[in-house]
Amino acid sequence: MSKDYVQIDPRDNIVVAINDLPQGMSINLDGCTTILQENIKSKHKFASQDFKVGDEIHMYGVLIGKAVVPIKAGEAITTQNIVHASAKYGTPTKKVAWSPPDVSKFKQRSFLGYPRADGSYGTANYWLVIPLTFCENRNVDILEAALLEKLGYQTKQDYSVDTDALISKYKKGATAQEILDTPVVLSREETSKNRLFTNVDGVKFLRHDGGCGGTREDAQVLCNLLAGYISNPNVAGATVLSLGCQNAQIEMLQKAIANINPNGAKPVSYLEQQQSKSERDFIAEAVKLTFVGLIEANKIQREPAPLSQITLGLECGGSDGFSGISANPALGYASDLLTALGGSPVLAEFPELNGVEQNLIDRCQNEKDAQKFASLMKAYSESAIAVGSGFESNPSPGNIKDGLITDAMKSAGAAKKGGTSPVVEVLDYAEKITKPGLNLLCTPGNDVESTTGLAGSGCNIIVFTTGLGTPTGNPVAPVLKLSSNTKLYQKMNDIIDMNAGTVITGEDTIESMGEKILDHIIQVASGLVEAKSVVKGHNDFIPWKRGISL
C-alpha cells in the first residue's frame, strides 16, 4: 500500500488519500498521472478521471454513486458533487469459488469454554435477570443493588469502594486516624478475587422498554430475542420477572425457548408479581432463586473446546474512511480463517450491505437463502422509503466528515467484515444460528440494536470495528473493539482492544492482522484476556421493534 494514497480495486475510478495530500501533487496510477486540483484530506477520496453529470462512481469494484456536477480528475469526492447509487440485484448470476486460507497455525488450537448441555461452549458464564415488561424494570434495579456489589460483580467502573471495611473498623473502636489509614479502594482485579462464585463471570440485567403496550408481534419478537439470550452459550440460566397482565406472557417465552433450543434446557426461574403476596415477598423470592441458580452455575468450569464452537458476531460503528481498507478486511480474513476451522462468523447490519447485495446473493450456497436475502433487503429498503427515508440516509455526520460520502461506499467497506467465504444461511432477526460457516443476520445498522441481535441469535463473542471510537458493549457476548487507524487506538486505548491501523502504515498485511485478530479472539474466549467493554461494564441492550432503524 502506498504511504500516500491507494486505489482499492483496479475497477475503481476514485482513489483514497492515506495522508493529507496537497494541491498540485502528482498521482501516478497504472502509468497515468493525475494532478490534484485541491487539497485532499486523509481518508477522503479524489477522482482519477473526469466525470460528466450522471457518470458512475466506483469503489471496491462496485457502484457507490453518480456525479451530479462535472468533476475533474484530481478533485475531491464530496456530498456536493456525487449522490448515492447502488447496483441492482436479483437472482444468482454466477457460482463464486472459494479458496480457504491456510489455517495450519490454528489447526491444533482450542479455547477454554464453558460446556453446555446442547454441546455448545460459552466464552463466558453469566446468569441473567430478565423483565418480561418495562413495568418490572424498577424491580430489576432493586435486584441489581442487592446482588452485584455484595457478590463481587461491580462492573460500572474499574474499581470499587469498600465501605464495609470502614464500618468494621468503627465497630471495633478504631481511632479516626486508623480509619483514615484504612485502604478502601479496590481494583477490579481485587474485587473479582472476592467473588463468592468464582466460575460465574457476572449477573446481567436486561432492562428494556417493551413487553406491553405495543403490538402482539412486538411481544413475540421480544420473547424470541430473550429466548435467544437465555439459550446463548454464554448463559448458565436466568431469573424472569413478569408482572402478569402484559402482552409478553411467561408461556410465550417458554415456547420460544423450546423452539430455539429443545435439547439444551437451562435452569430458568419464573416469578409473577401479580400472584405474589407483596412486592417484598416478590423481591425476596427473586433474590433467593437467583442465588440458588448461581450456586448451580458455579459448578460449571472451563474446559478445552474446538475453535469450531466460536460463533463470531461481525459489527462496525463509528466508521471512517480507513475502516474499509484496514479493520474490516482484516476482520474479514479472520472470519475466513474461522470458517475454514469450522466456526460461524455472522454478518449483520442489512442497511450496510446496500450495493453489495449481488455479490452476497452469488455467494449463497442455495437458492432459498439467496431469495430470502433479496426479499429481506427489498422489504427493508421499501419500509425505509415508506416513511420518507432510505438507505441513502444511513451515513452519519461523523461518517461523512471522515470520508464515507454515500451509503453504498460505506456498505461496500462494511461488507468486507464477512470475508470471501460462501454464505451458508440467511437469518431474520432473532433466528438462531445453527450452521457452521458465514451466516447473514438481518439487523439494523444501529450499533446497539445490531449487537443485541447478534447475541440473541447465538454469537458468543463479537468483534466491533471502528474508525471514530465507540464504547458499545453487550451483556452476554464480549465485544472486542478494533480500530481502523493508529491515532484512534492511541487516543481511546482504554476502550479499544486491537489496532488495525498497522495495515495503513504497512507494519501488517490484511492477512497478518487477520491472524492477530483470531489469536486475540481465542485469548478472550478462553478467559485469559478481558474485553475492554467488559472491564468498563458496557452492557448495552436495545431490542429492535422492526421499525425503521438505519
Side-chain angles (χ1 to χ4, degrees):
M1 183 183 294
S2 164
K3 67 176 183 178
D4 289 323
Y5 55 87
V6 62
Q7 181 185 36
I8 297 172
D9 188 280
R11 296 166 290 182
D12 294 354
N13 49 24
I14 61 175
V15 179
V16 184
I18 301 300
N19 296 307
D20 291 343
L21 306 180
Q23 181 180 3
M25 180 177 178
S26 294
I27 304 297
N28 297 302
L29 291 169
D30 296 328
C32 298
T33 299
T34 298
I35 305 298
L36 295 184
Q37 303 298 305
E38 56 188 306
N39 294 331
I40 307 296
K41 292 181 180 178
S42 171
K43 305 181 185 180
H44 286 257
K45 290 81 184 170
F46 59 88
S48 60
Q49 66 178 56
D50 293 338
F51 294 104
K52 304 188 297 295
V53 174
D55 281 353
E56 295 185 346
I57 314 292
H58 290 264
M59 186 175 171
Y60 300 103
V62 299
L63 174 66
I64 58 91
K66 289 187 178 182
V68 294
V69 297
I71 305 172
K72 292 182 179 179
E75 287 186 346
I77 300 299
T78 70
T79 53
Q80 283 72 49
N81 58 25
I82 76 168
V83 292
H84 166 84
S86 58
K88 297 185 184 299
Y89 60 93
T91 57
T93 58
K94 59 182 177 181
K95 285 285 186 181
V96 177
W98 185 56
S99 298
D102 178 11
V103 293
S104 56
K105 293 181 181 179
F106 298 94
K107 269 290 187 184
Q108 304 305 316
R109 298 282 297 274
S110 62
F111 74 98
L112 296 174
Y114 291 99
R116 303 299 179 198
D118 62 356
S120 64
Y121 283 82
T123 64
N125 193 30
Y126 292 117
W127 189 271
L128 301 184
V129 176
I130 298 176
L132 276 179
T133 171
F134 58 83
C135 302
E136 289 298 319
N137 283 346
R138 177 181 172 276
N139 288 329
V140 170
D141 293 341
I142 295 171
L143 288 178
E144 182 174 18
L147 292 168
L148 275 198
E149 188 171 358
K150 292 296 183 182
L151 296 178
Y153 297 118
Q154 181 59 264
T155 57
K156 290 187 177 179
Q157 51 198 23
D158 55 8
Y159 64 91
S160 64
V161 179
D162 185 12
T163 308
D164 286 343
L166 301 181
I167 294 171
S168 177
K169 289 275 187 180
Y170 172 74
K171 287 181 175 180
K172 292 177 181 178
T175 65
Q177 188 58 51
E178 287 174 329
I179 289 175
L180 291 173
D181 290 340
T182 301
V184 293
V185 175
L186 301 177
S187 68
R188 194 167 185 277
E189 292 73 23
E190 290 171 321
T191 302
S192 297
K193 289 177 183 177
N194 295 329
R195 286 179 182 172
L196 180 61
F197 302 114
T198 56
N199 291 327
V200 179
D201 295 301
V203 184
K204 297 303 178 84
F205 303 83
L206 306 187
R207 298 172 188 83
H208 56 82
D209 63 358
C212 199
T215 66
R216 295 295 191 273
E217 181 187 14
D218 286 341
Q220 185 62 65
V221 171
L222 176 64
C223 284
N224 291 344
L225 179 71
L226 296 177
Y229 269 73
I230 293 171
S231 301
N232 188 291
N234 292 358
V235 173
T239 303
V240 177
L241 305 185
S242 169
L243 179 60
C245 57
Q246 73 277 348
N247 288 339
Q249 289 286 302
I250 288 175
E251 293 79 9
M252 188 181 290
L253 177 60
Q254 289 173 328
K255 288 179 181 178
I257 293 172
N259 288 335
I260 290 174
N261 204 6
N263 300 317
K266 294 180 180 179
V268 181
S269 296
Y270 298 93
L271 297 99
E272 190 167 297
Q273 187 169 5
Q274 289 172 347
Q275 298 298 319
S276 64
K277 295 178 183 178
S278 68
E279 185 178 277
R280 287 186 178 185
D281 287 338
F282 182 68
I283 294 297
E285 189 72 7
V287 169
K288 288 186 285 186
L289 286 171
T290 301
F291 196 89
V292 169
L294 289 169
I295 293 173
E296 292 303 308
N298 195 52
K299 295 176 182 178
I300 307 168
Q301 298 185 38
R302 289 185 184 270
E303 62 181 46
L307 299 185
S308 59
Q309 289 293 326
I310 293 177
T311 303
L312 174 65
L314 308 171
E315 180 70 24
C316 61
S319 299
D320 72 345
F322 285 164
S323 292
I325 58 178
S326 61
N328 290 345
L331 179 55
Y333 189 76
S335 300
D336 283 346
L337 289 170
L338 185 61
T339 294
L341 291 162
S344 303
V346 186
L347 182 62
E349 301 178 286
F350 274 25
E352 298 186 5
L353 301 179
N354 180 222
V356 296
E357 295 97 338
Q358 191 61 54
N359 172 267
L360 292 168
I361 286 170
D362 291 341
R363 287 165 60 186
C364 286
Q365 285 189 324
N366 63 69
E367 179 72 22
K368 182 180 178 182
D369 282 312
Q371 291 176 353
K372 184 176 181 179
F373 176 62
S375 176
L376 287 168
M377 287 297 293
K378 287 175 181 175
Y380 207 142
S381 176
E382 289 168 359
S383 59
I385 293 169
V387 295
S389 187
F391 287 161
E392 67 273 9
S393 301
N394 191 1
S396 69
N399 294 150
I400 295 169
K401 181 181 177 182
D402 263 47
L404 297 179
I405 304 302
T406 71
D407 181 58
M409 178 188 291
K410 179 181 178 182
S411 295
K416 295 292 184 181
K417 302 190 302 292
T420 60
S421 67
V423 174
V424 297
E425 191 164 25
V426 176
L427 303 167
D428 201 354
Y429 184 71
E431 289 186 328
K432 184 183 179 182
I433 299 147
T434 61
K435 293 183 179 180
L438 178 63
N439 288 255
L440 303 183
L441 175 66
C442 183
T443 73
N446 177 289
D447 299 345
V448 178
E449 289 176 328
S450 184
T451 53
T452 298
L454 284 165
S457 287
C459 292
N460 55 9
I461 195 163
I462 297 169
V463 175
F464 189 124
T465 67
T466 183
L468 304 176
T470 173
T472 303
N474 182 266
V476 304
V479 178
L480 307 176
K481 299 293 171 34
L482 175 64
S483 66
S484 70
N485 62 89
T486 301
K487 182 178 179 181
L488 172 65
Y489 180 71
Q490 293 171 340
K491 182 174 65 173
M492 301 184 74
N493 184 255
D494 58 331
I495 66 170
I496 294 178
D497 302 84
M498 298 172 284
N499 176 33
T502 51
V503 174
I504 300 295
T505 57
E507 299 159 70
D508 271 302
T509 62
I510 294 296
E511 293 76 16
S512 66
M513 190 66 225
E515 290 179 351
K516 290 179 180 179
I517 293 168
L518 182 54
D519 184 71
H520 196 82
I521 289 170
I522 295 169
Q523 296 294 309
V524 174
S526 299
L528 302 175
V529 176
E530 274 194 301
K532 292 184 179 179
S533 61
V534 175
V535 172
K536 292 292 182 180
H538 297 153
N539 295 313
D540 304 301
F541 179 78
I542 303 179
W544 184 31
K545 288 187 177 180
R546 295 309 292 250
I548 290 308
S549 181
L550 296 175

